[in-house]
Amino acid sequence: MNELPPAVRQLLHAEQRQAAIDLLSEYLATDQKEAERRIDQYLEDNPPVHLRGGAILRASRLNALIWLTLITLTALLVLIFSL
């Protein structure tokens, strides 16, 4: 089995490694060491991607709203102080 179950991958993407190991151990009916080895192999083959720049804004509407508010406030301050 090269691929991890979707629930295990979801836990890994949520940075819950120990929960992913526990779930995989139950799923495969193996010991923790084997599950940890498979998780480590998966993470080595598929390193986590940390969002940067515009991807952060696309990932969360709240982030986009906060940045839009800050940009708007900055523009208003520039207009007020330029008068």
Side-chain angles (χ1 to χ4, degrees):
M1 172 187 208
N2 293 335
E3 193 63 30
L4 296 178
V8 174
R9 287 192 311 249
Q10 186 176 14
L11 285 171
L12 287 174
H13 291 297
E15 298 182 3
Q16 297 180 2
R17 185 174 182 273
Q18 188 57 47
I21 291 171
D22 294 340
L23 182 62
L24 185 60
S25 177
E26 290 176 20
Y27 180 80
L28 297 175
T30 62
D31 61 346
Q32 293 274 324
K33 294 255 185 216
E34 175 63 19
E36 186 173 5
R37 185 192 67 75
R38 289 183 185 230
I39 296 272
D40 289 340
Q41 183 64 44
Y42 175 81
L43 289 175
E44 186 176 312
D45 294 342
N46 304 295
V49 176
H50 299 287
L51 300 178
R52 294 176 19 190
I56 294 173
L57 298 179
R58 286 192 301 269
S60 168
R61 290 182 188 257
L62 179 60
N63 282 342
L65 182 62
I66 290 170
W67 277 104
L68 181 62
T69 303
L70 289 173
I71 291 168
T72 304
L73 287 174
T74 303
L76 286 173
L77 287 172
V78 167
L79 285 174
I80 288 171
F81 287 113
S82 68
L83 294 176

